[in-house]
Amino acid sequence: QFEKQVEMTPEVIAVQWGDESFSYEELNRRANQIARCLRAKRHHSDGLLVGLCVERSFELIAAVFGILKAGGAYLPLDPTYPQDRLTLMIEDAEPDIILTQQSVKASLPPSSVESVCLDEAANFAELDVSNLPEEVEADSLAYIIYTSGSTGRPKGVMIEQGALSSFVRSATQVYGIEASDRVLQFASISFDVAAEEIYPCLVAGGTLVLQTPDMMSSIATFLRICGDRGVTILDLPTAFWHVMVAELCADPEMQVPSGIRSIIFGGEAVNGERVRQWQQRFAADDHKIQLINAYGPTETTVDAIVYPIPQHASPSETSSHSIPIGKPLPNVTAYVLDEQHKQLEVGKEGELYLGGPHLARGYLHRADLTAERFIANPFGEGRLYKTGDWCRISPDGNIEYLGRIDSQVKLRGFRVELGEIEAVLLEQPGVQEAVVVVNCDASEQQRLVAYMVMAASDCFNELRLRDVLQSKLPHYMVPSAFVELDALPLTPSDKVNRKTLAALSISLEVANSEAGASGDQPESPLEIALAEMWQSTLVASIGDRALSLDDNFFDVGGTSLIAMQLFAQIEKAFDQRLQLSTLFEAPTIRKLAQYLDCQRDPGQIIRSVIPLKTEGHRPPFFFLNSGAYARQFVPLLSDAQPLYNLNIFNISERLSTMLESLSVSKIAEIFVADMKSVQPQGPYYIGGFCDDSKLAVEMADQLQSDGETVALVVMIDPSWDELVERSGLRLHVDNFLKLGPQYLLEKVKDIWANLYQPPEAEVRVQLGASLPSEANSGLASQAVEDSSPMRVGQGEVSLLHKYQNLCLNFQPRPYTGQVAILFSQEAASEPRDLLVSTLKAGFEEYVIPGLHLTIFENPTLRQQLVDAIEEAIGKRLESTGDESNVISTISLEKS
């Protein structure tokens, strides 16, 4: 279907990503190259499963089409998920290959599965761009999406090509998607709604508009940018639409763009009061927007039932519990059955069963669960899916959703099995019983609350429990509150009374307000104003409890939706527009106030510091430049050790004014000053890769000259000595004999990159950590935040060339501090006379199997880096005998 559209409209814009746009022909050519790359790497004939760990981008859209063209299926691997979760998914699904990007590759856990970066042009540049011979059947897999599992393990839902194609035809027809439409791509690829946004739009000849971070600072900004980009159809989580309606009603000046003709929402029950408010707000407008309530489990391929909400409805029709989910899509059959699988009359309550060609194949490696949930159709051919939803059919034929039979819930659009969270809690020492419930108050803010009975009162440690769950579960499954009880309330039949617990969680808000908050209280006018804004947006989670300066926004119930409401208040009060990524860096009132102070100060110096991991009591590790590689260290270091990237491209404008007089020593001087804004006193831990090793030694020398302590300099494959002892040909022959054909392959890639890869690509690699790492944010947010590509200008390219030439011709003065060098196997035997003569105190040497260009792909590097830092800290402890002398007081305020 897509290829036919390409033939008809090759020059029409298929994808818009910020200010960039890509035609149908460009998208198709790129997808074909990706497909050929995948087919070349396929080693068997029984299908191809491709892991997809990619941020929202043009490459993501090209990748999903490329995978399907190759006859494969994709497995979304959200880079924001904890390593344990990703490991479980990879081990269970066993993908053949993983497509990723350099900026998120570090998010992947160590694995034997080959990974290919979509933004490495050498992987695709020489491949044919024409369409491939078809190798796709209706029963071929299209994708596997993991959903929460009641047994404590997520389960992979297998959707076939035939089911996806059938759904796309139905959705295109029912939603009326046409070539003139511009559809916003809002959802994460890990959420099946992304398929509803991508495929119907692009097979109908429309334009897919990718959501960008600048859209998500507030509802007003979101709507304004949607208007600027000509969006006609929105597909949103119901919770997001609820917030949008509340903001529109609170601000009569705010308007919905006139180009928007339809808003589809789903993921949880629709609040009828919000529908009534919407209808009142726009009753007098000529511009009518069709609202569509969509319902469908992942097992039925996105949506199965839809309800176009009437433009005008009586109060009874919009009561808080009466918005129906509607009628089945074409080719979908729906039945409300009793326990004996007999069809119930209109108005009778029972379980909803769905059938038709949209159904999933089943659950990966779970034949027992597949047989339990997918049953033979007692009324005809095929199967029915047992949804677990309690429903009834109204006299007008619409289906009404009444609730769940089990403990599954929908939270901000995400499907959550409470039993999975409870299973992780019960694995923890001292937890005897655990129950998780959802609390929802009149303001519609939902949160998870965990109740536990402990073996002993001193076993309860909320911070430890939260840390464990954050390391094992997606952010949206981590409870906002952990409560210890002497015993769980029971029903007369001795089952846990979840209704009592849900009511109890509301009463606990009052108790919390009486207890107050621990920690420093807001004092400055800015801190007090921010605290009041937090209080008003977080009332559902904290009630009237006083907030401390160091309460973490996300730990007290904050979500991305609440953050948008908070930022809207900040913009009105201080005329400062923030992005959601700001809360990665400043998640407390104290840090956010400091951030706003810096932003309001026109004389504030932009620093080279990029915080990647700010929590922890140990001294930070500062890694120079090479931002894409710096991000890979985030999950490797202990929870106690912060990590920062010092990057020349973060201060490119500042350095460009002194480009002619720039030197390695001057850059080191700037980096040292910026580093001290984070850590005023030593001991310092500094590291660099390749050319940056010289800069690291120069910084260490300057620090020592100022009387500071440098505990360790880490060099990764340093570029130091000129290769004068052997000719280039002899060197390559020796390395080929030692390392084999892979050496020649990497050298060819290197030559190609130097000759043909645009310098802008290398700048992007260098600045690969322009946003703080999500792995350290503790976010309890929806998957709506992404990072957009850096805009590279001639100034950055000139700076890159200048810096490379400076490092090539620079030799540091002799250095006497402790050094650890991690050599690749390729570089381990190269000349090192100048290196040895510079490092007067010698160095600890580690050899990493592999080549210079692939050293960061080797898990051994990660362990050796940690070992080197741990050894240096150990030596400091031995020499001082007091950890307080090793671990300095670190000031994060100025950063």
Side-chain angles (χ1 to χ4, degrees):
Q1 295 177 60
F2 171 68
E3 288 176 352
K4 288 179 181 178
Q5 188 61 48
V6 174
E7 290 178 7
M8 291 188 292
T9 58
E11 302 303 322
V12 169
I13 295 175
V15 178
Q16 182 175 346
W17 183 31
D19 295 330
E20 298 181 85
S21 57
F22 304 87
S23 70
Y24 271 84
E25 184 173 24
E26 288 175 305
L27 177 58
N28 191 51
R29 289 163 66 91
R30 184 62 170 156
N32 287 335
Q33 288 182 316
I34 294 171
R36 282 191 165 82
C37 174
L38 294 173
R39 282 195 181 178
K41 293 179 179 294
R42 185 172 58 190
H43 304 299
H44 50 78
S45 59
D46 57 348
L48 179 73
L49 181 61
V50 183
L52 195 55
C53 186
V54 180
E55 294 177 319
R56 184 181 285 109
S57 60
F58 169 70
E59 294 289 356
L60 171 64
I61 308 304
V64 294
F65 276 103
I67 293 167
L68 298 182
K69 281 170 172 278
Y74 58 89
L75 168 72
L77 299 169
D78 194 321
T80 67
Y81 281 4
Q83 293 264 308
D84 285 357
R85 186 73 163 200
L86 293 175
T87 298
L88 189 154
M89 293 164 65
I90 292 171
E91 290 179 350
D92 186 54
E94 298 179 313
D96 300 284
I97 191 171
I98 295 175
L99 293 180
T100 185
Q101 296 163 311
Q102 295 180 53
S103 59
V104 299
K105 190 174 182 180
S107 303
L108 289 168
S111 168
S112 60
V113 181
E114 178 187 5
S115 62
V116 174
C117 286
L118 291 166
D119 47 1
E120 287 183 357
N123 292 322
F124 308 98
E126 303 301 321
L127 297 176
D128 188 359
V129 299
S130 62
N131 288 339
L132 290 75
E134 289 190 19
E135 293 185 8
V136 181
E137 302 294 337
D139 59 356
S140 300
L141 273 184
Y143 59 78
I144 298 176
I145 284 186
Y146 275 79
T147 65
S148 183
S150 59
T151 61
R153 289 177 63 88
K155 52 187 182 293
V157 181
M158 300 183 288
I159 301 297
E160 295 179 346
Q161 293 262 7
L164 178 59
S165 183
S166 177
F167 163 73
V168 168
R169 281 191 289 268
S170 296
T172 304
Q173 173 188 336
V174 171
Y175 298 142
I177 299 175
E178 300 174 345
S180 59
D181 279 316
R182 296 171 63 86
V183 180
L184 181 66
Q185 204 285 293
F186 185 94
S188 162
I189 193 68
S190 297
F191 191 25
D192 64 348
V193 171
E196 180 175 69
E197 297 165 337
I198 296 170
Y199 302 117
C201 173
L202 293 177
V203 301
T207 297
L208 192 67
V209 180
L210 306 187
Q211 180 241 108
T212 52
D214 58 339
M215 301 178 71
M216 304 308 296
S217 60
S218 67
I219 294 295
T221 300
F222 174 80
L223 291 173
R224 177 181 59 79
I225 296 179
C226 283
D228 292 344
R229 294 178 184 166
V231 172
T232 63
I233 296 178
L234 295 176
D235 202 332
L236 306 171
T238 302
F240 189 95
W241 182 76
H242 284 162
V243 172
M244 181 191 295
V245 176
E247 294 285 317
L248 284 164
C249 292
D251 184 357
E253 299 299 318
M254 192 186 305
Q255 295 296 324
V256 177
S258 59
I260 293 178
R261 66 173 184 80
S262 181
I263 301 178
I264 307 162
F265 43 74
E268 59 193 82
V270 182
N271 186 307
E273 176 62 18
R274 287 286 182 250
V275 173
R276 185 189 64 78
Q277 291 173 346
W278 173 278
Q279 292 171 340
Q280 284 187 339
R281 173 73 161 75
F282 297 105
D285 281 18
D286 294 331
H287 172 214
K288 299 301 182 185
I289 298 174
Q290 178 62 69
L291 302 180
I292 300 177
N293 182 24
Y295 162 92
T298 303
E299 290 85 346
T300 63
T301 312
V302 197
D303 290 340
I305 299 172
V306 297
Y307 178 66
I309 297 175
Q311 299 285 355
H312 303 284
S314 66
S316 62
E317 291 176 308
T318 56
S319 65
S320 60
H321 299 292
S322 65
I323 301 298
I325 56 177
K327 297 177 181 178
L329 289 173
N331 296 327
V332 175
T333 54
Y335 303 94
V336 176
L337 307 180
D338 63 15
E339 293 182 356
Q340 286 74 43
H341 296 163
K342 293 181 179 179
Q343 197 165 356
L344 294 170
E345 298 175 0
V346 169
K348 297 291 185 179
E349 298 179 6
E351 185 173 1
L352 179 64
Y353 288 74
L354 298 172
H358 296 191
L359 292 192
R361 179 187 296 180
Y363 301 107
L364 183 66
H365 305 320
R366 298 291 303 275
D368 55 337
L369 186 60
T370 300
E372 175 188 332
R373 303 303 295 268
F374 293 85
I375 67 170
N377 185 356
F379 311 108
E381 297 180 353
R383 302 170 300 156
L384 296 180
Y385 171 66
K386 175 183 170 70
T387 67
D389 288 329
W390 198 247
C391 297
R392 68 183 171 207
I393 300 177
S394 62
D396 62 5
N398 285 304
I399 299 171
E400 298 176 11
Y401 172 81
L402 304 174
R404 286 292 298 178
I405 295 172
D406 53 21
S407 61
Q408 183 190 114
V409 298
K410 283 292 190 78
L411 187 68
R412 297 187 298 279
F414 292 100
R415 175 164 145 182
V416 177
E417 293 278 4
L418 300 178
E420 184 175 358
I421 308 172
E422 293 165 358
V424 177
L425 286 170
L426 290 170
E427 293 173 355
Q428 308 314 308
V431 179
Q432 289 187 328
E433 297 179 84
V435 174
V436 179
V437 300
V438 174
N439 165 241
C440 181
D441 70 0
S443 67
E444 300 165 31
Q445 301 294 351
Q446 294 189 91
R447 62 171 179 169
L448 296 172
V449 182
Y451 294 94
M452 287 152 291
V453 176
M454 310 300 292
S457 59
D458 58 356
C459 291
F460 182 72
N461 185 323
E462 179 176 347
L463 291 178
R464 181 181 62 81
L465 290 168
R466 185 182 300 279
D467 287 344
V468 168
L469 265 63
Q470 286 176 343
S471 71
K472 293 180 176 292
L473 299 173
H475 46 72
Y476 57 85
M477 294 180 68
V478 179
S480 299
F482 296 79
V483 180
E484 182 185 10
L485 297 176
D486 293 333
L488 295 175
L490 302 177
T491 66
S493 58
D494 289 334
K495 294 183 178 180
V496 174
N497 194 326
R498 292 179 178 268
K499 291 184 179 179
T500 299
L501 288 176
L504 179 61
S505 65
I506 296 174
S507 66
L508 282 171
E509 291 171 8
V510 179
N512 284 339
S513 68
E514 295 172 354
S518 59
D520 297 337
Q521 302 301 301
E523 293 181 354
S524 72
L526 178 56
E527 290 171 349
I528 293 172
L530 285 175
E532 291 175 351
M533 293 176 189
W534 283 38
Q535 195 83 41
S536 65
T537 54
L538 290 167
V539 64
S541 297
I542 62 173
D544 296 326
R545 179 173 74 82
L547 288 160
S548 80
L549 279 174
D550 298 309
D551 276 333
N552 186 294
F553 178 82
F554 301 102
D555 288 349
V556 294
T559 67
S560 59
L561 293 180
I562 296 175
M564 291 181 73
Q565 295 173 292
L566 172 65
F567 284 178
Q569 293 188 37
I570 290 174
E571 184 176 346
K572 289 180 181 178
F574 305 117
D575 195 26
Q576 288 183 257
R577 183 173 297 165
L578 305 178
Q579 292 190 13
L580 286 171
S581 57
T582 306
L583 282 176
F584 296 179
E585 191 175 343
T588 67
I589 293 174
R590 186 196 303 274
K591 291 181 179 179
L592 190 57
Q594 291 162 353
Y595 178 88
L596 290 171
D597 262 339
C598 291
Q599 294 295 104
R600 291 193 295 179
D601 180 4
Q604 178 71 20
I605 298 175
I606 298 175
R607 300 192 182 277
S608 60
V609 179
I610 299 174
L612 300 180
K613 185 171 181 291
T614 58
E615 304 300 327
H617 65 276
R618 285 187 167 186
F621 180 53
F622 294 92
F623 193 73
L624 312 182
N625 297 315
S626 302
Y629 298 130
R631 286 190 64 143
Q632 297 190 41
F633 293 141
V634 174
L636 311 181
L637 303 178
S638 73
D639 292 340
Q641 185 163 26
L643 171 66
Y644 291 82
N645 183 219
L646 298 173
N647 204 300
I648 58 172
F649 296 103
N650 211 43
I651 52 172
S652 57
E653 291 185 11
R654 179 176 163 194
L655 294 181
S656 295
T657 62
M658 59 177 80
L659 202 59
E660 292 302 318
S661 61
L662 198 61
S663 65
V664 173
S665 297
K666 181 60 178 177
I667 295 172
E669 181 183 322
I670 294 171
F671 273 16
V672 166
D674 289 353
M675 187 169 63
K676 285 189 172 184
S677 73
V678 176
Q679 183 185 352
Q681 299 176 345
Y684 292 102
Y685 296 75
I686 309 169
F689 170 56
C690 195
D691 290 341
D692 299 316
S693 298
K694 293 181 177 180
L695 178 58
V697 171
E698 175 63 19
M699 289 177 61
D701 183 62
Q702 290 185 14
L703 286 164
Q704 284 190 341
S705 298
D706 291 341
E708 294 287 356
T709 301
V710 180
L712 179 66
V713 174
V714 177
M715 301 182 189
I716 300 176
D717 242 14
S719 176
W720 209 279
D721 287 61
E722 293 297 327
L723 303 181
V724 295
E725 297 184 16
R726 293 179 291 175
S727 69
L729 180 59
R730 176 61 186 276
L731 171 66
H732 292 315
V733 170
D734 288 351
N735 279 335
F736 175 73
L737 294 174
K738 179 174 61 176
L739 301 170
Q742 183 65 23
Y743 173 76
L744 285 185
L745 177 61
E746 292 301 327
K747 286 301 155 189
V748 170
K749 287 183 180 179
D750 190 25
I751 293 170
W752 184 94
N754 288 329
L755 290 176
Y756 299 109
Q757 180 171 292
E760 293 87 346
E762 188 168 353
V763 175
R764 289 192 180 98
V765 174
Q766 288 285 345
L767 191 58
S770 59
L771 289 177
S773 170
E774 294 174 354
N776 184 52
S777 64
L779 295 184
S781 66
Q782 297 182 84
V784 298
E785 297 90 4
D786 280 310
S787 59
S788 58
M790 174 192 174
R791 305 294 180 192
V792 177
Q794 189 57 44
E796 285 83 5
V797 174
S798 299
L799 177 60
L800 173 65
H801 290 160
K802 178 72 173 182
Y803 177 70
Q804 289 174 333
N805 289 328
L806 288 173
C807 290
L808 180 65
N809 299 305
F810 178 75
Q811 287 297 336
R813 293 175 296 183
Y815 178 69
T816 57
Q818 183 175 345
V819 176
I821 304 182
L822 284 62
F823 288 108
S824 69
Q825 190 179 359
E826 173 188 350
S829 59
E830 290 180 356
R832 58 177 74 168
D833 294 343
L834 287 175
L835 181 63
V836 172
S837 64
T838 303
L839 306 177
K840 295 298 185 181
F843 52 85
E844 295 289 332
E845 179 177 340
Y846 306 81
V847 178
I848 312 299
L851 308 174
H852 176 77
L853 292 175
T854 61
I855 190 170
F856 280 84
E857 298 175 11
N858 195 312
T860 307
L861 171 72
R862 308 173 179 184
Q863 187 57 52
Q864 299 289 24
L865 173 69
V866 173
D867 290 347
I869 295 175
E870 293 298 320
E871 183 176 345
I873 291 177
K875 288 182 178 180
R876 292 289 303 164
L877 283 170
E878 290 176 5
S879 63
T880 63
D882 182 4
E883 188 174 6
S884 64
N885 290 327
V886 180
I887 300 169
S888 62
T889 301
I890 299 166
S891 171
L892 299 178
E893 285 78 11
K894 295 179 182 177
S895 72

